[in-house]
Amino acid sequence: MRPLTDEETRNFFEKLSKYIGENIKLLIDREDGTYCFRFHKERVFYVSEFILKKAAHVAREELLSFGTCFGKFTKTGNFRLHITALDFLAPYAKFKIWVKPSAEQQFLYGHHIMKSGLGRITENTPQYQGLVVYSMNDIPLGFGVAAKSTQECRHTDPMTIVAFHQADIGEYLRSEETIV
């Protein structure tokens, strides 16, 4: 495990800022202690300094995981956010979208959100902005990217995609058969 390089930090924080903006500071300096981001086996982990000190005593080859995995760097150097970061990012999300109960299952199966399944969307959401997807009961379901701005959503056809699927809580079940 090691700190992120400058390039990794830039890519990682650019991705996070798409979803939570300047609230990244709130993730690091928390009331219950100081947290940091560490890189291990192509993944970025969010970990408290207390756990980090404990994990430092384990050999790098033996260490499988520590803290919460926020995502993974691809071979091209891009960062891909994992669903395990949802609980940490949802309270700080700047832009949110709520899906109707009839569209929840489709989103959890990995499909994009159509206008017909749109319950609400945060005012003034720009196009291609990162979103946290909620059920109508305010339960976070996953991440998405706005395909249309809030203004465009109001005047579009019901079968138009309004948010692209990025990650959802149903991934655990879908990827269960690939985990050995």
Side-chain angles (χ1 to χ4, degrees):
M1 89 190 115
R2 63 170 173 78
L4 280 73
T5 64
D6 291 339
E7 181 72 19
E8 292 166 346
T9 302
R10 187 179 57 74
N11 287 344
F12 175 64
F13 283 137
E14 279 179 8
K15 181 65 94 167
L16 279 186
S17 68
K18 279 185 77 174
Y19 292 94
I20 62 175
E22 62 279 347
N23 291 335
I24 295 172
K25 298 179 287 230
L26 300 174
L27 284 176
I28 297 170
D29 295 323
R30 295 178 22 177
E31 294 175 6
D32 57 341
T34 304
Y35 283 69
C36 58
F37 296 102
R38 289 292 183 256
F39 183 88
H40 183 66
K41 296 184 179 178
E42 304 299 322
R43 287 175 169 69
V44 176
F45 291 92
Y46 180 61
V47 61
S48 70
E49 288 187 350
F50 176 76
I51 300 293
L52 184 64
K53 290 176 185 174
K54 301 276 186 200
H57 296 290
V58 178
R60 195 175 277 187
E61 300 80 32
E62 301 294 323
L63 187 63
L64 295 177
S65 178
F66 59 98
T68 303
C69 181
F70 258 47
K72 177 182 177 180
F73 278 98
T74 63
K75 292 182 183 187
T76 59
N78 295 328
F79 183 76
R80 181 154 164 81
L81 205 57
H82 284 184
I83 195 64
T84 50
L86 182 64
D87 291 336
F88 294 97
L89 300 184
Y92 304 118
K94 290 177 66 176
F95 299 102
K96 303 172 184 176
I97 188 169
W98 288 265
V99 294
K100 294 178 181 175
S102 59
E104 277 182 37
Q105 188 174 16
Q106 289 302 311
F107 180 75
L108 295 177
Y109 283 163
H111 299 289
H112 302 306
I113 300 171
M114 306 291 233
K115 166 77 172 3
S116 60
L118 175 65
R120 307 188 300 221
I121 189 167
T122 307
E123 241 355 92
N124 300 323
T125 301
Q127 189 175 18
Y128 305 122
Q129 177 65 45
L131 301 166
V132 174
V133 180
Y134 284 88
S135 69
M136 292 306 282
N137 298 329
D138 285 331
I139 298 170
L141 300 175
F143 300 112
V145 174
K148 305 269 184 204
S149 67
T150 304
Q151 301 303 324
E152 293 170 332
C153 286
R154 291 188 177 129
H155 308 292
T156 189
D157 182 49
M159 295 309 291
T160 304
I161 295 173
V162 294
F164 298 118
H165 176 273
Q166 293 293 307
D168 65 83
I169 56 177
E171 286 181 14
Y172 286 118
L173 298 174
R174 290 196 304 273
S175 64
E176 183 178 291
E177 60 191 36
T178 60
I179 299 173
V180 179

